[in-house]
Amino acid sequence: MSERERALQQTEVYSQLYDIMRSDRPLYDRLEAILQLGVEYFDVDQGYITQIDQETNEWTAIVSTDSSDGPIPPGLDLDLSTSYCRRTIQEEEIVSFADAIDAGWEDDPAFQTHQLSCYHGAPIVVDDEPYGTVCFSAQNPRADPFTDAEKSLTYLIAQMVGYEIEQRNYERDLADQEQTLAERREIYRAVIDANFDLLFRIDLDGQFIYHSPSVEEMLGYTADELHGRPFTAVLPDAETAEAAQGLYEQVLAGETVEKTYLPLETKSGEIMYADIRGTPIYDADVPPEERTPADIVAVQGMTRDATERKRRDRLISVIHRVLRHNLRNDMGVIRGYTELLGESLTGDDAELAQRIHTTAERLIDLSETAQKLEENLDSPPELEPIDVVPLITRAATQIDEAHPAAIIKIDTSETAVAQSAPRLETAIWELVDNAATHAGDTPTVEVSVRVTDDAVVIRVLDDGPGLPDMEQSVLLSGDETPLVHGKRLGIWLVYWIVTSLDGDLAVLDDRPGAAIEIRLPPAQ
């Protein structure tokens, strides 16, 4: 073939190469067509594209012109050390010879294993990393060595293949990312729908920049009507606006805040109540570990309609107050009359009057304990450093005066500072009073406190019959079942207070009598 004919043939090959790559055929179909074009142009037996993992020494033919029963079919896996491609991928340059023996490859594992006399391969680079090779080979030697023009064509094919694989990987990664984002959006939507009635966003000027579509159902406004307006537009009065502004500033300082029963005013002027949770949104370009309040770009808010719960709580509160008031007053009258009856009666009648008097006092105590419980349930405590010694001393002194037959012993250091809240005194009072009341006619009650490396430990011990299983269940797990009989409501109050203070309760069984231990976190 003359030089002119060879040049015309080469021009035609380049034209066909570009036509194949510009076609809409699937990627592997196009790659196989390119390989077939090279096989015919180079006059060899087969062409194949490989993917190579140099760390694991794995070689895989991902596209090949061979059939499934050929020497190098698609999907063939080899040890890289038995392939000519190892030199191509390692040196990242074209390796080419027309006759393996003449080129000095007769002792190479690749020739010994596959007996390929002709090899012409170029490295494929994907994302600036070695990926594999484009190879053409034959069982018998080629008549002529591979020319520079042929090597340039193979190098161009390798570049095109690398680009196409890179594009495929990019599109695949993009599709995976879009799928992941879609799944996350759906999870996010489901979480919001399940936990919140309304989602909103506020910018650094305190103006609404986003509302979920549910805003119209909840407040009567469309998202467009509220967009760009200050968040105070949905607040009913200056007092609520001031409280909400304080929460907003806390979020801008980097905190996540929660508020229950925040009053909101609908478009029609009705007042509703909502539970609000606000959290800062940071500049996504700033790594999480480096973020500061200066990197906050907006405030994300989540809202739940709490109007019905607010009304129900109000009703329950009113019922409780009325019942406690009437119970306390009526029981006070009963207690007074039984005292008068007790003075004028003798024998069994006097004993019955005393039993009525005792029952009246117990019901009055129950009412007072219920009131304490409601007072402590109003809001979560703000934990702060508190010296528990004065609380113990004050509670023990009050109970000593109320129970003259009891012996109250105190064993404390000068100070014992825990991360706690004032309501702790109510829990201590209830435990000591319970021991003084139920541990016998002349009980001995010991109250101690000690400070360890990880806790402030308060113990209330008595020499009575011990804590019944029913009360232990309440104290250790908050089990409310025993309360159906109205007994020991104070024990449940102790459980709720201590656990709300991030403390732990334990009933010690290594001694006679009742022994209850409170462990509180030490002051920060």
Side-chain angles (χ1 to χ4, degrees):
M1 182 181 295
S2 67
E3 288 295 329
R4 183 173 182 277
E5 290 174 333
R6 191 68 178 170
L8 289 173
Q9 185 185 32
Q10 183 172 321
T11 301
E12 177 63 22
V13 167
Y14 273 96
S15 176
Q16 293 181 39
L17 176 64
Y18 284 114
D19 287 343
I20 292 171
M21 296 309 295
R22 285 198 300 264
S23 71
D24 295 331
R25 296 160 63 183
L27 174 61
Y28 278 18
D29 287 355
R30 285 182 285 147
L31 297 185
E32 186 177 347
I34 289 176
L35 291 175
Q36 189 61 47
L37 182 66
V39 167
E40 295 171 1
Y41 180 69
F42 296 131
D43 191 21
V44 293
D45 296 340
Q46 61 270 131
Y48 44 94
I49 295 172
T50 72
Q51 183 174 1
I52 294 172
D53 188 331
Q54 297 185 72
E55 292 185 0
T56 60
N57 223 35
E58 294 179 356
W59 177 104
T60 303
I62 60 174
V63 183
S64 175
T65 59
D66 267 349
S67 61
S68 58
D69 56 353
I72 307 178
L76 177 66
D77 291 320
L78 296 175
D79 187 326
L80 179 61
S81 63
T82 67
S83 168
Y84 296 127
C85 295
R86 75 177 189 281
R87 184 78 62 82
T88 306
I89 198 74
Q90 289 170 354
E91 298 181 4
E92 299 184 22
E93 62 182 17
I94 291 178
V95 173
S96 179
F97 50 84
D99 188 328
I101 295 178
D102 286 348
W105 289 77
E106 66 272 15
D107 296 327
D108 192 90
F111 182 77
Q112 294 291 331
T113 303
H114 304 292
Q115 295 294 309
L116 294 175
S117 297
C118 172
Y119 174 81
H120 182 54
I124 299 172
V125 177
V126 174
D127 292 325
D128 298 324
E129 296 290 336
Y131 175 86
T133 57
V134 170
C135 309
F136 299 94
S137 63
Q139 201 73 29
N140 298 316
R142 189 171 182 258
D144 299 314
F146 289 96
T147 66
D148 289 341
E150 290 173 329
K151 292 178 181 178
S152 295
L153 175 62
T154 307
Y155 181 73
L156 176 61
I157 291 174
Q159 283 187 311
M160 286 184 167
V161 171
Y163 173 79
E164 291 296 326
I165 293 175
E166 193 171 295
Q167 282 295 109
R168 181 207 60 182
N169 291 348
Y170 170 77
E171 292 171 0
R172 182 182 295 169
D173 291 344
L174 186 61
D176 289 344
Q177 291 175 13
E178 289 177 349
Q179 177 66 22
T180 300
L181 287 174
E183 291 174 355
R184 288 179 178 176
R185 282 194 297 267
E186 178 58 20
I187 292 172
Y188 184 56
R189 181 204 62 77
V191 169
I192 293 300
D193 288 349
N195 293 278
F196 304 101
D197 296 324
L198 172 64
L199 187 70
F200 64 89
R201 197 168 300 128
I202 301 172
D203 64 15
L204 298 183
D205 295 323
Q207 296 178 340
F208 288 121
I209 56 175
Y210 170 77
H211 274 94
S212 57
S214 55
V215 65
E216 188 166 2
E217 179 181 353
M218 187 171 181
L219 294 175
Y221 294 96
T222 65
D224 290 339
E225 288 175 325
L226 285 180
H227 188 84
R229 297 183 64 183
F231 66 82
T232 53
V234 297
L235 302 178
D237 50 53
E239 182 180 354
T240 304
E242 183 178 356
Q245 181 67 32
L247 296 173
Y248 173 70
E249 291 173 359
Q250 284 181 258
V251 178
L252 293 183
E255 299 180 35
T256 293
V257 300
E258 294 182 355
K259 176 68 175 176
T260 58
Y261 298 144
L262 182 72
L264 300 179
E265 185 173 7
T266 68
K267 184 178 181 180
S268 62
E270 296 180 3
I271 303 299
M272 63 165 294
Y273 294 89
D275 295 340
I276 303 287
R277 178 182 175 87
T279 191
I281 300 176
Y282 291 90
D283 185 343
D285 294 332
V286 180
E289 65 275 7
E290 299 178 9
R291 291 173 179 172
T292 69
D295 302 311
I296 295 174
V297 296
V299 171
Q300 182 73 59
M302 290 76 75
T303 305
R304 183 185 297 109
D305 188 349
T307 305
E308 290 303 318
R309 191 174 78 246
K310 174 71 170 177
R311 291 171 180 165
R312 185 173 64 253
D313 288 351
R314 279 179 171 175
L315 176 60
I316 293 172
S317 178
V318 169
I319 293 172
H320 283 180
R321 285 198 300 271
V322 170
L323 288 177
R324 283 199 310 271
H325 179 270
N326 291 348
L327 178 65
R328 187 166 53 247
N329 288 350
D330 292 347
M331 284 299 104
V333 172
I334 292 172
R335 181 176 59 181
Y337 280 127
T338 54
E339 287 178 355
L340 293 176
L341 284 172
E343 295 174 359
S344 60
L345 296 174
T346 59
D348 292 343
D349 292 338
E351 183 179 347
L352 291 174
Q354 180 58 41
R355 291 172 67 178
I356 295 172
H357 183 273
T358 301
T359 302
E361 285 189 330
R362 187 168 66 248
L363 288 173
I364 292 172
D365 289 342
L366 178 64
S367 173
E368 292 174 350
T369 302
Q371 181 176 355
K372 292 178 185 177
L373 182 58
E374 183 180 21
E375 291 169 354
N376 282 282
L377 285 172
D378 282 345
S379 60
E382 294 289 340
L383 301 185
E384 58 182 337
I386 288 183
D387 186 358
V388 304
V389 173
L391 307 186
I392 291 172
T393 303
R394 189 160 51 242
T397 300
Q398 292 172 354
I399 293 167
D400 189 40
E401 294 173 354
H403 297 271
I407 300 174
I408 312 294
K409 296 181 179 180
I410 302 175
D411 179 15
T412 69
S413 57
E414 290 187 4
T415 60
V417 183
Q419 194 73 8
S420 188
R423 65 174 59 170
L424 174 64
E425 184 171 355
T426 299
I428 296 171
W429 193 96
E430 289 289 345
L431 285 180
V432 179
D433 181 69
N434 184 73
T437 303
H438 300 286
D441 295 334
T442 56
T444 297
V445 182
E446 301 176 22
V447 187
S448 66
V449 61
R450 59 187 176 89
V451 180
T452 68
D453 292 338
D454 60 353
V456 174
V457 182
I458 302 170
R459 286 185 175 179
V460 179
L461 318 175
D462 66 50
D463 58 355
L467 201 64
D469 291 343
M470 184 181 292
E471 278 69 28
Q472 288 196 38
S473 177
V474 175
L475 205 58
L476 297 179
S477 65
D479 186 3
E480 299 180 37
T481 303
L483 301 185
V484 297
H485 301 295
K487 294 182 178 180
R488 307 284 177 91
L489 183 59
I491 293 294
W492 196 87
L493 177 58
V494 170
Y495 169 83
W496 189 88
I497 289 177
V498 173
T499 54
S500 75
L501 300 176
D502 296 336
D504 294 313
L505 276 164
V507 178
L508 310 179
D509 55 6
D510 57 353
R511 62 181 303 283
I516 300 169
E517 181 179 271
I518 299 174
R519 299 180 67 89
L520 298 168
Q524 297 176 359

